[in-house]
Every structure is written in structure tokens, then in C-alpha cells.
Amino acid sequence: MTEQQTTTPEAETHPPSSNNNTNTSMRNNNNRCRPNHRNSNLASMANAERNFKGKIEDLPVIGRPYEQTDTYEKLIDAAVDYSIINFEEGDDLTKLLEKGENDFEKSSGMEMPTLTTAEEEVKAKVYVYQKKTDLYLKREHLFGQNKKKVFTILLGQCTPSLLTSVKSSTNWTAKND
């Protein structure tokens, strides 16, 4: 062997320097992949919110903080129209949705019938009283059922992040009933 061909002990124990650079760049690429993976998760979550349609696609969606979206008032107007069209006696929910008045008698325009002494003497009036009472109780029951439906719809139109915020509110448990 000539002097130029002899190997040094350093050359035998360490791989060529081009391999060192490749290994280092691979490690750096691995470290770069983690934030990119996180960014792709954030992007997919943002995409999910951007593409969120709500439970009923005909109604507007609220709760997208990064976009111009329909206002709460537009959602309430659409929910009023939807409840009138799709629920039996759904127009009873108008005051509840528009003004927050949870009063069946005001919403329905009905009052619980009362008897007077003169009415008790006449069977026809008692019959009318019973029918009015039945109608009142039926409408009151429908009012409760429709309230559950419409608030389920309203919550279904909120983006997942808005819904999480609403449910974490201190008033959620009191109004959840």
C-alpha cells in the first residue's frame, strides 16, 4: 500500500461525511413532520367547522368566529318559520323564540277555562268547558314537546366550538331543562 492508500483509524470508525449529513437531515425532517402533522389536524378541524351544515341544512348556522356568518336573529327567524311549518301548533313558539317569553297562555292566546255557577247548571256549557280544557291540555303538551324540538334544532345549528362554549356556561344546567 502506498501512503495515499492507507486508511486512518478515524476513517474506519466514522462513516463518510455525506452519510452524516443525510442522517442529520433525516432527523431534522422527522422533527419538522410533527408540527406539520399538528397543522394538518388544525386545518382539518377548521375545515370541519367551515363545512358544518347543522342538523337541518335549510336553516342558517351560527358560531363561526373566523367568517362572516348569519346572525342569531336570522337563525331565530328561520327557526320560527320552520316550527310554524313543521310542528303541530308550532306558531305557539313564536313568542318564546323571538322574545324569550316562556308562557304558554300568552303564546297560544288561550286561557285555562273556569266555571261559574251559571255554567255548572247548563250541561252544554259544561261540555264546552271540558272540550276547551282538553284542547288547552293538548296544546300545553304540544308546546312542551315543540320547545324541546326547536331548542334541539337551534343547538344543532351551532358549530361544535360554539356548542362547547354554550354547554360550559354556568347557565347551561339551569336552562337545559
Side-chain angles (χ1 to χ4, degrees), residues 31 47 61 97 135 138-139 142 151:
N31 289 338
N47 238 359
V61 173
L97 292 171
L135 179 62
K138 180 183 177 192
R139 290 273 299 269
L142 284 173
F151 282 111

Side-chain angles (χ1 to χ4, degrees), residues 100 102 147 151 155 166 169-177:
N102 189 16
K147 263 195 319 187
F151 282 111
L155 291 174
V166 168
S169 158
T170 55
N171 293 334
W172 171 254
T173 54
K175 295 191 178 188
N176 197 16
D177 299 330

Side-chain angles (χ1 to χ4, degrees), residues 44-67 69-70 75 152-164:
S44 64
M45 288 185 334
N47 238 359
E49 291 236 348
R50 187 177 308 112
N51 297 330
F52 182 74
K53 301 285 186 207
K55 287 191 178 188
I56 299 177
E57 291 189 22
D58 295 340
L59 295 178
V61 173
I62 60 171
R64 295 179 182 149
Y66 50 86
E67 294 180 352
T69 60
D70 293 308
L75 174 61
T152 300
I153 289 170
L154 291 175
L155 291 174
Q157 296 308 110
C158 296
T159 59
S161 59
L162 178 61
L163 193 57
T164 301

Side-chain angles (χ1 to χ4, degrees), residues 67-81:
E67 294 180 352
Q68 287 274 346
T69 60
D70 293 308
T71 62
Y72 175 75
E73 289 79 18
K74 285 183 183 178
L75 174 61
I76 294 301
D77 289 343
V80 167
D81 293 343

Side-chain angles (χ1 to χ4, degrees), residues 2 29-30 46 61 87 91-92 103 107 128-130:
T2 64
N29 284 338
N30 288 340
V61 173
F87 299 164
D91 56 332
D92 291 349
D103 185 344
S107 295
V128 169
Y129 167 78
Q130 290 172 341

